[in-house]
Amino acid sequence: MTNPSVTDLALELKQLIIETLDLEDISADDIDDSAPLFITGLGLDSIDALELGVALQKRYGVKLDAEAEETRKHFASIQNLCALVADRRTK
């Protein structure tokens, strides 16, 4: 069974992505938690990543190094973003 707080966070993050990037033709249900966010999957690009990074910092206080390999891993999918935000919230 999925942890409800993780499910809620995934939905929050999907809505944040849709709102931040003005994805008009996409709903939260259209975004698979494990699908890639960049290139394939949702098809986001590096400009989207910068905007998303700013939104994550504003909403959750999560600061990321744009050049770090670790950041690319965090941005790989909704699941990875959930893990990052949940981890940073507990610290």
Side-chain angles (χ1 to χ4, degrees), residues 67-78:
E67 302 301 317
E69 182 63 34
E70 179 181 271
T71 299
R72 288 185 188 92
K73 290 177 186 170
H74 293 312
F75 275 46
S77 68
I78 292 293

Side-chain angles (χ1 to χ4, degrees), residues 2-41:
T2 306
N3 181 339
S5 63
V6 171
T7 304
D8 293 344
L9 181 56
L11 182 58
E12 272 183 43
L13 289 169
K14 290 175 187 182
Q15 291 171 333
L16 179 70
I17 290 169
I18 291 166
E19 291 166 15
T20 301
L21 305 178
D22 293 324
L23 303 177
E24 296 172 358
D25 297 333
I26 295 178
S27 73
D29 291 338
D30 295 331
I31 303 173
D32 184 322
D33 289 359
S34 59
L37 295 176
F38 293 87
I39 305 165
T40 60

